[in-house]
Amino acid sequence: MKNPSSDCTEILVGKAASMDGSTIVARNEDGYGPINPIKFVVHEAKEQKNASYVSVTTGVRVPLPDHAYRYTATPQADQSDGQYEEAGINEFNVGMSSTETTATNARVLGYDPLVHNGVDEEAMLTLVLPYVKTAKEGAIRLGSLLEKYGTGECNSIAFNDKNEVWLLETAGGHHWAAMRLPDDCYAIVPNQTVMQEVDLNDTDNFLVATDLVKFVEKHHLNLQPGHFNFRDIFGTQSEADAYYNTPRTWYGQKLFNPEIDQEPTSQDMPMVRKPTKKLAIEDVEDFLSSHYNGTKYDPFGTFASGTKKEQQQFRSIAMDRNQASSILQIRNDVDDNHAAIQWLSLGFFAYSPYVPFYTNIKDTPEDYKNTTNEVSIDNVYWLEKTLSVMIEPHYHEYSDMLHAYLEGCQSYARQRLEVTDEVIDGFTSDVSEFLTESNQKTAGEVSSRTHKLFNNIVKKGLMLSKTTWEKGQNL
C-alpha cells in the first residue's frame, strides 16, 4: 500500500486555454516525507519479445508488448520498493503523469475493495507510456489493466498529446472512468475525486470501465437518477477534504478566475473552468510553487498578515514534501520533432526553477540522472533540497536574492527554447542528438546559477548568526 502521505497537486490545461495553443499536464510529486530522491532519465526504444513486468511492490506480473517506445521519466533514486517513474513524454509526444492520490468512499469500497497484488502507482507509467500513441490510448490501456489486475490504491492519472488532455480516475479495486478535458478549460486536481457529470453515450469525450454502469445499478450507488456524477457516486466530501484538498482548488481558481467568489472549504467547486485569460507556462509554475501567496493562509506570511492558526490552517501546495514537479507541454506551433517539453523542478518548488527539457533526446544531463540516496550537492535534487534547508529559516532575508535567481532562470529558459527552435527549423542532421546537447547546455547554465546562489546564501547566512559579537559593541 502506498504511504498515505504520498500526495500531490495537479493542473491540466486544454490547448484553447493555453497562451500558445499547447496542451499541458502538470503535477507536483510530493513524497512519503521530506526526503525521496528523484532523478530524470530517458529510456531508449527497444525490442522485448516475451517480456513481462513484475512489480517488486505487489508481485503482479504483466506481459508486455514486443516493442517499447522511447520515453522520459522521473523515477526514484532508490528503487528497492519500485521505480515510481511518475512523469514523462514518449516518442509520439504523449505525456503521462501518474499519479494523483485520491479517495473512494467507504460505501463503494464495500462492494469493490482495493486489491494488494495488482497495478499500483509504482507500475502505471512503466506499463503504459512506452506502448501508446495518443492520450486517449493511454487512458484505454491503463483502464484495461485496472480491470484485469485491479489496484490497491485510489488515484487519478493524466495524459496529453498535441490535441487532447485526458484524466482517468480509479474507483475501488477495479473500476474507473476517464474524461477528455474541454479544449478551452483548465482543471485542478487536489488528492480528491473531481470528475463530475459523465455522458455515458459520448465515447469521444468519456470512457468508463466495461461493467461500471452495471456495478452502480446493482449496488444502488447513484443518488441522482438521470445523471451519472462520478464524484458523487465514488468520491468523498469529508472534513479532511475541506482542509487538505479543496483549498488548493480554491487557490488555483482564485488565480485563474479572480472574479469568482468561493470559500476555500467549499465542496461544490467545479472541476473544470474556463480561465479569465489564457494561461502561460509561468502561470502553471506560479500555481505549482505557490503557498497561498497574498492570502492570510500563507505559512510564510508573505503579503497578508494572518494569525498563526490561519497560516497553518490549510495544506500548502509548495511544501517540504515536494520532490519533483513536471510540466508536460506538447506544443502546436512547432514541428513534432521538437514539440514536446518536460519542464522539471526538483526539491522545494517555492525555491527551485523549472528547467525545460526537450524529450526527443538520447540522454539526460549528468547532475539530473546521478541522484544519490545520501546528500550530495553534485546532483540537482540534493542541491535544491539543501538550499531549502538554508532558505526557509531566513526566507525574508533571502527573498530578493531568491526571486532574482528564479526570474533569471525562467528568462534564460525561454531564451534557450527560442534559440533552439529557430536552429531546428530546416535542420537536416540528427535532431535528437542536437536536442540532447541543447538540454545539456540549458541545464548546465541553470546548475551554474544554482551553485552561485548556494555560494551567496552561505556567505550571507554566516552574517545572520545570533552569536555574532563585535569587540566593544556594548561599551
Side-chain angles (χ1 to χ4, degrees):
M1 283 286 292
K2 177 169 55 179
N3 187 309
S5 65
S6 177
D7 300 331
C8 310
T9 305
E10 188 164 50
I11 177 173
L12 318 175
V13 183
K15 63 182 181 180
S18 68
M19 183 177 288
D20 62 357
S22 299
T23 65
I24 298 171
V25 162
R27 171 178 152 268
N28 289 352
E29 177 190 350
D30 302 334
Y32 303 142
I35 301 170
N36 185 32
I38 301 296
K39 57 185 179 178
F40 177 49
V41 301
V42 60
H43 298 284
E44 295 181 354
K46 63 180 179 179
E47 300 299 323
Q48 50 182 23
K49 290 186 180 293
N50 301 316
S52 294
Y53 176 90
V54 180
S55 170
V56 300
T57 305
T58 69
V60 69
R61 178 182 292 271
V62 181
L64 298 175
D66 291 342
H67 181 78
Y69 308 134
R70 185 202 70 237
Y71 68 104
T72 58
T74 53
Q76 297 183 152
D78 178 0
Q79 298 186 7
S80 59
D81 66 341
Q83 295 183 66
Y84 289 90
E85 294 204 295
E86 299 296 314
I89 300 173
N90 73 15
E91 67 182 83
F92 288 95
N93 292 346
V94 177
M96 179 177 176
S97 181
S98 62
T99 66
E100 184 76 21
T101 305
T102 61
T104 301
N105 65 60
R107 180 172 57 251
V108 172
L109 290 175
Y111 299 117
D112 183 17
L114 300 174
V115 298
H116 304 305
N117 59 349
V119 174
D120 288 356
E121 173 183 355
E122 173 266 331
M124 286 180 179
L125 187 137
T126 311
L127 289 174
V128 175
L129 189 57
Y131 309 109
V132 297
K133 295 183 178 181
T134 69
K136 188 174 184 179
E137 282 184 19
I140 292 171
R141 175 168 171 81
L142 179 57
S144 67
L145 292 171
L146 293 171
E147 289 186 55
K148 182 173 182 178
Y149 297 102
T151 184
E153 303 166 345
C154 303
N155 285 309
S156 71
I157 302 92
F159 306 87
N160 65 323
D161 55 35
K162 68 178 183 180
N163 291 314
E164 299 183 341
V165 176
W166 281 80
L167 180 71
L168 181 149
E169 294 189 315
T170 68
H174 300 86
H175 293 93
W176 60 277
M179 67 167 285
R180 182 183 185 274
L181 182 73
D183 289 342
D184 59 354
C185 293
Y186 72 93
I188 308 291
V189 186
N191 299 135
Q192 187 178 25
T193 299
V194 295
M195 199 182 312
Q196 294 174 286
E197 197 70 22
V198 174
D199 185 344
L200 299 167
N201 297 313
D202 181 3
T203 55
D204 290 334
N205 295 294
F206 297 93
L207 300 167
V208 298
T210 53
D211 69 335
L212 187 69
V213 175
K214 290 183 178 178
F215 173 77
V216 170
E217 291 175 348
K218 177 181 178 181
H219 299 293
H220 312 290
L221 298 174
N222 193 347
L223 304 178
Q224 301 181 69
H227 295 273
F228 200 92
N229 187 306
F230 193 81
R231 181 196 294 180
D232 288 347
I233 296 170
F234 296 100
T236 58
Q237 292 191 353
S238 67
E239 183 177 349
D241 287 325
Y243 288 90
Y244 196 80
N245 295 322
T246 63
R248 285 177 277 163
T249 297
W250 166 78
Y251 189 69
Q253 294 187 0
K254 176 182 174 65
L255 290 178
F256 306 138
N257 292 95
E259 73 282 2
I260 295 172
D261 186 20
Q262 301 177 132
E263 291 299 318
T265 56
S266 171
Q267 301 279 0
D268 297 321
M269 286 180 282
M271 167 192 170
V272 170
R273 283 201 186 279
K274 296 180 182 180
T276 300
K277 61 179 182 179
K278 293 192 175 185
L279 304 181
I281 288 295
E282 286 79 5
D283 295 310
V284 175
E285 292 175 355
D286 287 347
F287 170 68
L288 292 176
S289 61
S290 66
H291 37 87
Y292 304 116
N293 312 53
T295 78
K296 62 185 178 181
Y297 307 113
D298 184 357
F300 292 126
T302 310
F303 298 112
S305 56
T307 65
K308 185 175 181 180
K309 180 178 180 180
E310 287 170 331
Q311 291 175 359
Q312 297 176 350
Q313 190 167 351
F314 301 136
R315 189 265 204 208
S316 183
I317 296 165
M319 62 187 309
D320 66 337
R321 286 194 277 110
N322 292 158
Q323 308 298 336
S325 183
S326 284
I327 301 173
L328 309 177
Q329 179 188 21
I330 313 298
R331 302 181 294 170
N332 279 291
D333 59 349
V334 297
D335 291 340
D336 288 346
N337 64 4
H338 60 292
I341 306 290
Q342 183 164 356
W343 296 78
L344 181 62
S345 176
L346 297 175
F348 185 11
F349 314 136
Y351 311 142
S352 305
Y354 282 83
V355 181
F357 292 100
Y358 291 93
T359 59
N360 180 9
I361 54 174
K362 297 182 177 180
D363 202 357
T364 55
E366 183 64 26
D367 57 354
Y368 278 82
K369 67 180 181 180
N370 69 349
T371 307
T372 51
N373 291 324
E374 301 302 320
V375 177
S376 168
I377 62 170
D378 292 329
N379 62 72
V380 173
Y381 173 87
W382 279 116
L383 177 59
E384 293 290 359
K385 279 290 189 180
T386 304
L387 278 169
S388 72
V389 172
M390 298 161 61
I391 291 170
E392 187 165 337
H394 301 285
Y395 175 77
H396 296 286
E397 287 86 352
Y398 294 137
S399 181
D400 290 345
M401 185 189 304
L402 173 65
H403 286 97
Y405 156 76
L406 293 174
E407 291 167 10
C409 287
Q410 184 66 23
S411 295
Y412 175 75
R414 284 290 191 178
Q415 293 166 12
R416 290 291 302 144
L417 291 178
E418 180 79 5
V419 169
T420 304
D421 286 345
E422 289 179 352
V423 172
I424 287 178
D425 287 338
F427 207 70
T428 57
S429 301
D430 186 346
V431 170
S432 62
E433 185 67 41
F434 177 76
L435 293 177
T436 301
E437 293 174 0
S438 179
N439 284 352
Q440 298 278 3
K441 182 175 181 179
T442 303
E445 173 62 23
V446 174
S447 292
S448 175
R449 294 183 184 209
T450 308
H451 280 282
K452 184 176 180 179
L453 176 69
F454 182 91
N455 174 76
N456 292 339
I457 283 179
V458 169
K459 290 179 177 178
K460 183 168 183 175
L462 290 170
M463 305 300 292
L464 299 175
S465 172
K466 294 180 180 179
T467 63
T468 299
W469 189 269
E470 298 294 336
K471 185 176 180 181
Q473 69 182 50
N474 283 339
L475 296 179

